[in-house]
Amino acid sequence: MDGEIFTATLVPSGNMTPNSSMTLEQKTTFAFVILLLIFLGILIVRCFRILLDPYRSMPTSTWADGLDGLEKGQFDYAL
């Protein structure tokens, strides 16, 4: 025990080349994670745009625009 040198088993030795190719499952998982990150980025950008300008997506018409001959605010009396 005193003079023994311990080597790490996770580090490959010099004559062995590590297999750097990914399996099909790893490639599929990697592509799926990338697509999810892109989707998350799009949602984050969309949420920040709504937070910065919330009235941009609202329609400009109101409920009283379609009333003929009535002033806005007199809808209760028309019934």
Side-chain angles (χ1 to χ4, degrees):
M1 277 291 246
D2 293 332
E4 294 180 15
I5 299 174
F6 294 102
T7 59
T9 57
L10 296 177
V11 178
S13 61
N15 59 359
M16 294 176 56
T17 58
N19 188 6
S20 63
S21 65
M22 294 177 19
T23 64
L24 182 61
E25 291 86 7
Q26 289 173 336
K27 289 179 184 178
T28 305
T29 304
F30 187 71
F32 185 68
V33 168
I34 293 297
L35 287 175
L36 283 178
L37 289 175
I38 291 171
F39 183 68
L40 179 66
I42 291 171
L43 287 179
I44 288 173
V45 168
R46 185 170 184 236
C47 288
F48 274 114
R49 288 178 65 190
I50 290 173
L51 285 173
L52 292 176
D53 191 12
Y55 299 110
R56 180 176 44 111
S57 60
M58 293 178 62
T60 56
S61 63
T62 61
W63 59 271
D65 283 346
L67 299 177
D68 295 329
L70 294 175
E71 297 291 325
K72 290 184 181 179
Q74 294 180 351
F75 182 71
D76 295 332
Y77 300 114
L79 295 176

